[in-house]
Amino acid sequence: MDLGLKNKVAFVAASSQGLGRAVAKLLAEEGASVIICGRNIETLEETAKEIKSIGARVLAVTGDLSDAKDRDHIIAAALKEFEKVDILVTNTGGPPAGQFESFSQKDWEKATQQLLGSAVGLVNGFLPGMKKQKWGRIIAITSQAVKQPVNNLVLSNAVRASVAGLMKSLSNELGQYNITVNNVMPGYTQTARLVKLIENNPAVANVTSEIPLGRFGQPEEFAAAVAFLASERASYITGVSLAVDGGWIKSIL
Ligand SMILES: NC(=O)c1ccc[n+]([C@@H]2O[C@H](COP(=O)([O-])OP(=O)(O)OC[C@H]3O[C@@H](n4cnc5c(N)ncnc54)[C@H](OP(=O)(O)O)[C@@H]3O)[C@@H](O)[C@H]2O)c1
């Protein structure tokens, strides 16, 4: 199946490693130009080099997406290089693990900026161009926690649900401009984030017994779902929350 991604421009947030990196790589393999970002310049440049070797056009911009100034700089750099962004994938690192009483009001504000603030800022930055051309794809990377809270991850459980609410609202508002908006919920996927969660709590390594497919996911398996939603082929799919979790979520819908 041709995904129709040639000549598209994709901005993939927080993409020097992990899920974002796998998404950027796959979109590039499918013919899109990609803008990638992250805070650490070395890992970002390494990823940019790897994606360039596929033959794709790549712009790598460093900065912290939780920070409004950095975010504006990243958006401006992307629009200067490409003029338009057709596909926006929102993402950042996850907030720290812990239970309610271990967090201060400041921690909540930080997590809100990191997850919700970054998504709002990026949509604000790229929406005008999508509306103008009457074509766009907005895809949020959130978590299985949106549908089933994960133990010891209260910040993530609470704030990610607000990102899913934002995306569903946007799907209602932006359909008229031929812009689809969807939410993709990774389950336990083998990235640096998962390694850290297991370091903090070795019991996480055993959750494979709760996953019907019996193993952790690979970033490439997650990226395949995002690439499809970003594609021309997914033109009638909007407002969905798609889990890529090996079956971990226990609800029927
Ligand atoms: N992997 C899983 O099992 C899993 C499951 C559910 C949800 N998630 C969520 O999915 C998201 C991605 O996870 P991952 O596993 O890919 O994490 P990861 O392996 O730690 O990678 C995170 C990427 O985001 C960049 N990044 C982090 N914070 C950033 C910021 N503020 N501004 C710009 N770039 C930033 C990192 O680079 P720098 O550090 O250099 O900035 C890195 O490239 C996280 O929110 C995570 O909580 C992951």
Side-chain angles (χ1 to χ4, degrees):
M1 177 165 55
D2 175 11
L3 293 181
L5 287 168
K6 288 183 187 72
N7 303 320
K8 299 287 189 214
V9 178
F11 179 99
V12 185
S15 42
S16 54
Q17 290 191 78
L19 303 178
R21 176 176 177 273
V23 169
K25 246 183 102 180
L26 184 53
L27 293 177
E29 279 165 12
E30 291 295 324
S33 299
V34 294
I35 302 132
I36 60 172
C37 68
R39 294 162 302 179
N40 180 297
I41 190 162
E42 279 89 24
T43 39
L44 185 68
E45 279 179 353
E46 231 171 79
T47 297
K49 211 165 120 191
E50 199 179 318
I51 297 177
K52 267 181 205 152
S53 73
I54 299 167
R57 206 174 144 200
V58 186
L59 172 70
V61 197
T62 47
D64 183 347
L65 289 167
S66 305
D67 179 274
K69 257 204 195 127
D70 275 17
R71 209 163 50 225
D72 288 348
H73 164 73
I74 292 169
I75 292 166
L79 292 176
K80 187 167 174 225
E81 178 82 8
F82 289 102
E83 285 171 18
K84 58 150 194 176
V85 160
D86 305 293
I87 298 158
L88 164 63
V89 180
T90 71
N91 181 33
T92 51
Q99 299 199 358
F100 182 76
E101 286 174 307
S102 57
F103 296 117
S104 66
Q105 192 71 27
K106 239 204 154 63
D107 294 324
W108 280 94
E109 280 158 20
K110 216 169 147 194
T112 305
Q113 265 314 306
Q114 182 184 33
L115 299 175
L116 183 63
S118 64
V120 169
L122 290 172
V123 172
N124 266 326
F126 297 122
L127 180 58
M130 291 183 188
K131 274 175 78 175
K132 203 164 148 201
Q133 67 181 10
K134 284 205 168 261
W135 199 99
R137 300 278 185 266
I138 299 173
I139 298 158
I141 297 180
T142 59
S143 169
Q144 59 189 359
V146 165
K147 284 225 171 154
Q148 183 177 320
V150 179
N151 289 344
N152 206 40
L153 282 181
V154 69
L155 291 173
S156 178
N157 294 338
V159 185
R160 287 189 198 279
S162 71
V163 178
L166 167 69
M167 293 301 151
K168 187 68 183 169
S169 304
L170 284 174
S171 72
N172 291 334
E173 292 183 20
L174 302 180
Q176 63 181 311
Y177 304 109
N178 193 32
I179 299 169
T180 66
V181 188
N182 294 295
N183 170 35
V184 188
M185 304 177 292
Y188 293 100
T189 315
Q190 240 153 10
T191 66
R193 163 84 173 165
L194 185 61
V195 170
K196 214 172 185 181
L197 287 177
I198 293 173
E199 268 170 22
N200 285 343
N201 177 9
V204 173
N206 303 327
V207 299
T208 47
S209 64
E210 298 168 17
I211 302 171
L213 287 180
R215 61 175 176 85
F216 294 131
Q218 293 302 319
E220 294 72 22
E221 295 178 295
F222 177 81
V226 176
F228 177 70
L229 288 173
S231 77
E232 201 71 75
R233 302 286 83 80
S235 49
Y236 202 57
I237 302 176
T238 195
V240 306
S241 279
L242 175 66
V244 185
D245 66 345
W248 181 83
I249 294 169
K250 294 291 173 276
S251 62
I252 294 172
L253 292 174

